[in-house]
Amino acid sequence: MAVLFFDCDNDGDEDLFVGAGGNNQPPRNQLIQHRLYRNNGKGDFKKDSTAFPVNFSNIAIAVPMDYDNDGDIDLFVGGRNMSYSYGVPAYSYIYENSGNGKFTDVTEKLNPEIFKIGMVTDAAWTDVTGDKKNELIIVGEWMSPHVFTFNSGKLEELKTNLSNLSGWWQSIAVADMDGDGDNDMVLGNYGDNFYLKPDSTNPVKLWVNDFDLNSIPDKVFSKTVNGKDVTVFLKKDFTDAMPAMKKENLKHHEFANKTIQTIFKPELVKTATVKLFNYCKSIIAYNNGKGNYAIKELPLPAQLSSINAILITDINKDGKPDLILGGNITDCLPQFGRLDANYGLVLINKGNGEFAEMSSLQSGITVTGMVRDIKMIQGYNQKLFLFLRNNDFPVIYQLRE
């Protein structure tokens, strides 16, 4: 799920970190443990099974970060989810490097909130405050973007005006998009073409509790209709998942009029963990300083599908950073439909916060499937763009100068 080349032991060659995942394996299973493969300098890699302590989460992202400025590379490893337990906050980790590639979990010491920050999908380690020190930015599903800065031996969260944008964020990239000298954030979300279409006044909610009292946490989606929390799934889906609820919901027309508050007992609703999804657009957050960001929605073509991968580069050599965006999520339930309207989108930066779509005929990029990552590779006198797809072959394009 996450791969990272970095020099873990300061010997001048690149070692390989692999963060695994899979809902078919329970937490602590050997197959989802972190893996470090040490490079002997000749391109031969040997697994070091003692480099990391035991981890519990399926992993989404690994980011190198020398947070303590001691000259070796530490890691932030973001947890995507817990096996069999969607909605339960996954474990994310900050690992301190001893200097020779042995890592200690220091999350609790630096900031315990990061340990269970949520269902992380992406992260970045870069300066967004202009103080010449890097910040840790974390995004994920059912959460707003979080920014942490290292200060006095702790990672302290910075308050920003992004804190009310609770999305299903899929990706983040950071660059100075407007040329004003500070870094802005490009944030990929689910877009406007999704079945649920939440907003600030009509959020989608995830309710987590043992609603049928069988000692297994249940997860229930609701959407807001006329100010009420109404279940997303139909009666049959609902009662198939929780058979104990059938006797109380015998007729379809009666179930259709019920809300979360009338389906479940008040004490179960009151004690439930509730997560919000109230913002679905992909955006650029332009940095105005001191935690304030001007929110600019990406153009309509970028809102037609999810944005899972973002590459920032100057395509037309005009000195302004452009965007190459990959996306799509095609394994949704039939009720939700497919998000598959992204074929590798190129947006040209026109300045003043405006972007123009480059048609696929002009760009030459047509990528189907679920794009998970985009990387630029510097070839011999040429730039190559690698699109990595879920359960499919990678696709590579050459930029014609």
Side-chain angles (χ1 to χ4, degrees), residues 124-138 146-149 158 160 162 172-176 180-186 285-293:
W125 174 249
T126 189
D127 181 15
V128 291
T129 61
D131 62 357
K132 308 303 180 183
K133 297 191 303 181
N134 286 347
E135 283 74 44
L136 176 63
I137 310 159
I138 304 173
H146 293 267
V147 181
F148 296 89
T149 187
L158 300 179
T160 74
L162 304 176
I172 180 172
V174 179
D176 183 3
D180 65 352
D182 54 31
N183 281 326
D184 313 297
M185 304 182 198
V186 185
Y286 287 102
N287 195 343
N288 293 333
K290 297 182 179 179
N292 294 312
Y293 292 86

Side-chain angles (χ1 to χ4, degrees), residues 190-216:
Y190 254 53
D192 272 339
N193 203 23
F194 185 52
Y195 166 77
L196 293 173
K197 292 182 169 53
D199 57 37
S200 58
T201 56
N202 297 287
V204 170
K205 298 178 183 179
L206 177 65
W207 306 75
V208 183
N209 207 346
D210 183 10
F211 291 112
D212 53 3
L213 304 178
N214 65 350
S215 301
I216 301 173

Side-chain angles (χ1 to χ4, degrees), residues 60-73:
I61 183 71
V63 177
M65 49 180 287
D66 183 11
Y67 75 89
D68 49 7
N69 292 314
D70 64 352
D72 53 40
I73 300 177

Side-chain angles (χ1 to χ4, degrees), residues 377-384 398 401:
I377 303 171
Q378 184 62 52
Y380 181 71
N381 292 329
Q382 61 184 353
K383 289 181 179 179
L384 304 173
Q398 176 185 337
E401 302 290 350

Side-chain angles (χ1 to χ4, degrees), residues 103-137:
F103 293 86
T104 303
D105 182 1
V106 293
T107 319
E108 291 281 354
K109 181 178 76 172
L110 295 181
N111 191 326
E113 294 181 4
I114 294 176
F115 191 50
K116 286 192 174 183
I117 196 168
M119 299 175 64
V120 175
T121 54
D122 205 357
W125 174 249
T126 189
D127 181 15
V128 291
T129 61
D131 62 357
K132 308 303 180 183
K133 297 191 303 181
N134 286 347
E135 283 74 44
L136 176 63
I137 310 159

Side-chain angles (χ1 to χ4, degrees), residues 161-174:
N161 63 331
L162 304 176
S163 61
N164 62 336
L165 303 182
S166 185
W168 284 358
W169 303 107
Q170 301 297 300
S171 53
I172 180 172
V174 179

Side-chain angles (χ1 to χ4, degrees), residues 129 149 213 224 273 325 348 368 379 387 399:
T129 61
T149 187
L213 304 178
T224 306
T273 299
L325 307 175
I348 300 299
T368 59
F387 290 75
L399 178 65

